[in-house]
Amino acid sequence: MSDSAIAVTSAAQLHEHPQVEFIDKETNTHGWWRGGVSPFNVSYGKLMMWIFLLSDTFTFGAFLVSYGSSRFSEPFWPDADVAFDSFFGIHATLPLLSVSLMTFILIMSSVTMVLAVHAGHLKKKKEVAKWLIYTIVGGLLFLGCQAFEWVDLITTKGVTITHNMLGPVINGHPTPGPSTFGAFFFLITGFHGCHVFSGVILNFIILMNVVKGTYERRGHYEMVEKVGLYWHFVDLVWVYIFTCFYLF
Amino acid sequence: MENTQALEMQPGGETKEQRIKDPIVRSLLRVFWILLVVTIVEISLAFLYYFTSFPPRMLLNIIFICLTVVKAFYIIGEFMHLRHEVSTLIKVFLIPLLLLLWAITAFLWDGNSWKHMRERDRSDIQATVPWQTVKHQNE
């Protein structure tokens, strides 16, 4: 490719992204992809995190779509207000309350994570550590809530990955419902909980590095940003699980 | 006055007031309030339906989907910072998601047709599933 051809491409792309401007110091020309500068204007690590999150989106998307397909194919499906009506081991008719609290905890931990990322931009070591600790506490609280919910569903509602006692009531007798309800619920919330758990571990590792001063010596807190992207993604998935399992 | 300010110093070396005045922190807190309000609206609509069965189920589900998309927009756009990235990166992330739209439509359609087949089979025990009928005709 000749130099003029490169220049034309660069000018066209530059017109498309006027906010970003790269100038090749050797040739004194504008250039988007002449090596050395990412066309995405993010570092390699962050770009790869985005690509990973895209693939994870498809994993969760496939799970949720298959759940929807199964649910659409069943003449009867358990009512979410009946299935999730206990509040942390208290057997009461309190639909949605415990899951609302879980959602609130996860949103809060997302906010503390984004504040940690912001403190990292300002290179404030103690602030980053403080917000990361809050985030870890939020993640652990969320996992604790989920444990309560699973125990209630398994022990009092009789829902496991192969059985479902929340079927239609015929002549006053409860009958088994579609077993796919429990299978998909435990698969998808379990996979999400697994993500939260690994997010907590990752947060803990970067907290150790922050405290040790690894990122201070490195000169930037980009690792906090990358783990932040992952953590927000986990929050995003919960938004969809909340809608698909508890609201519909 | 200066003494009290010094007492309120945060570990990061700035007062709480200074941090709240930071424009980036303020915009992040705004997003938090939006997410919180949308979630509260969702939960109150769910309770409204639970007690009064008022909004028709179909309408309610459409509202829930719209509110979920609103929340996703703010989480991806502001918390994950995608709104402020280069448009190439935005396209790399969003264009493949069109495949999911296709998957949702196709698989829900498929599930629905299975339900119709099951209901029809239940209402008429003698009826056989379509492909068996075709097989018999061919024989």
Side-chain angles (χ1 to χ4, degrees):
Chain A
M1 201 192 276
S2 69
D3 269 345
S4 61
I6 293 170
V8 168
T9 337
S10 329
Q13 283 172 336
L14 202 67
H15 179 69
E16 205 180 331
H17 317 291
Q19 76 274 24
V20 187
E21 206 171 322
F22 295 116
I23 296 168
D24 193 319
K25 290 214 172 69
E26 286 175 9
T27 58
N28 200 27
T29 52
H30 297 276
W32 256 92
W33 186 233
R34 301 171 70 89
V37 178
S38 163
F40 297 106
N41 200 26
V42 291
S43 71
Y44 174 80
K46 264 174 90 174
L47 183 62
M48 288 304 115
M49 182 51 96
W50 273 109
I51 302 290
F52 163 69
L53 294 182
L54 183 62
S55 73
D56 226 18
T57 308
F58 276 102
T59 312
F60 274 110
F63 283 162
L64 285 172
V65 165
S66 54
Y67 156 74
S69 185
S70 276
R71 184 171 172 167
F72 266 56
S73 75
E74 294 290 348
F76 176 85
W77 197 259
D79 194 351
D81 293 331
V82 177
F84 312 108
D85 64 350
S86 75
F87 191 70
F88 302 116
I90 304 164
H91 306 304
T93 314
L94 296 165
L96 275 172
L97 269 189
S98 78
V99 77
S100 308
L101 188 68
M102 285 163 79
T103 309
F104 177 70
I105 289 169
L106 214 55
I107 290 177
M108 280 307 289
S109 79
S110 220
V111 173
T112 55
M113 188 75 218
V114 86
L115 289 171
V117 171
H118 179 60
H121 284 148
L122 303 174
K123 296 193 174 58
K124 286 175 181 160
K125 183 179 156 182
K126 281 182 179 170
E127 290 266 303
V128 178
K130 181 184 78 179
W131 292 120
L132 278 179
I133 289 169
Y134 286 150
T135 310
I136 291 168
V137 169
L140 290 175
L141 277 176
F142 177 85
L143 288 171
C145 296
Q146 200 170 39
F148 269 111
E149 196 172 78
W150 277 34
V151 167
D152 177 70
L153 211 56
I154 293 167
T155 55
T156 63
K157 306 279 171 22
V159 178
T160 65
I161 53 170
T162 51
H163 290 79
N164 175 12
M165 291 313 291
L166 294 169
V169 178
I170 297 169
N171 298 332
H173 297 291
T175 57
S179 63
T180 44
F181 170 71
F184 275 113
F185 178 79
F186 288 116
L187 171 75
I188 296 174
T189 59
F191 201 65
H192 176 262
C194 195
H195 274 71
V196 177
F197 184 68
S198 33
V200 167
I201 302 248
L202 287 174
N203 273 329
F204 189 73
I205 292 169
I206 59 166
L207 172 66
M208 290 294 105
N209 283 337
V210 167
V211 172
K212 277 195 298 185
T214 310
Y215 304 133
E216 206 169 35
R217 281 193 296 279
R218 199 177 283 176
H220 57 79
Y221 284 77
E222 204 192 79
M223 198 56 85
V224 182
E225 281 184 54
K226 288 176 213 164
V227 177
L229 280 178
Y230 178 78
W231 191 260
H232 297 312
F233 175 76
V234 170
D235 184 26
L236 178 70
V237 171
W238 181 256
V239 166
Y240 277 90
I241 291 176
F242 179 64
T243 307
C244 293
F245 277 100
Y246 299 94
L247 294 179
F248 282 173
Chain B
M1 198 62 194
E2 278 180 357
N3 280 342
T4 48
Q5 259 199 342
L7 284 173
E8 285 172 4
M9 289 288 266
Q10 296 292 303
E14 63 177 8
T15 62
K16 208 164 193 167
E17 281 180 1
Q18 274 175 336
R19 197 174 64 229
I20 291 164
K21 274 176 192 161
D22 186 335
I24 296 171
V25 172
R26 275 177 67 175
S27 74
L28 292 176
L29 288 177
R30 192 181 65 98
V31 175
F32 161 70
W33 286 113
I34 291 169
L35 291 177
L36 192 66
V37 166
V38 170
T39 309
I40 289 171
V41 167
E42 279 179 337
I43 292 164
S44 15
L45 278 174
F47 272 113
L48 186 67
Y49 180 80
Y50 180 71
F51 287 117
T52 64
S53 307
F54 158 57
R57 197 65 233 187
M58 201 63 186
L59 177 69
L60 196 64
N61 284 352
I62 291 167
I63 295 171
F64 283 151
I65 290 169
C66 294
L67 291 176
T68 306
V69 171
V70 168
K71 277 159 80 175
F73 172 81
Y74 278 106
I75 292 173
I76 301 173
E78 296 292 340
F79 281 180
M80 296 169 88
H81 211 254
L82 190 64
R83 220 153 74 90
H84 311 288
E85 301 286 4
V86 174
S87 74
T88 326
L89 184 58
I90 300 175
K91 284 175 201 155
V92 162
F93 197 68
L94 291 186
I95 290 172
L97 292 185
L98 295 176
L99 272 172
L100 273 182
L101 287 182
W102 161 78
I104 291 165
T105 318
F107 282 92
L108 294 190
W109 200 310
D110 189 46
N112 206 33
S113 94
W114 268 98
K115 184 166 92 178
H116 286 315
M117 285 201 287
R118 281 173 178 168
E119 279 170 350
R120 192 194 54 207
D121 290 352
R122 191 163 302 178
S123 63
D124 182 6
I125 308 285
Q126 298 301 316
T128 50
V129 281
W131 51 85
Q132 282 180 338
T133 323
V134 173
K135 202 178 161 192
H136 286 305
Q137 279 169 357
N138 286 344
E139 280 168 4

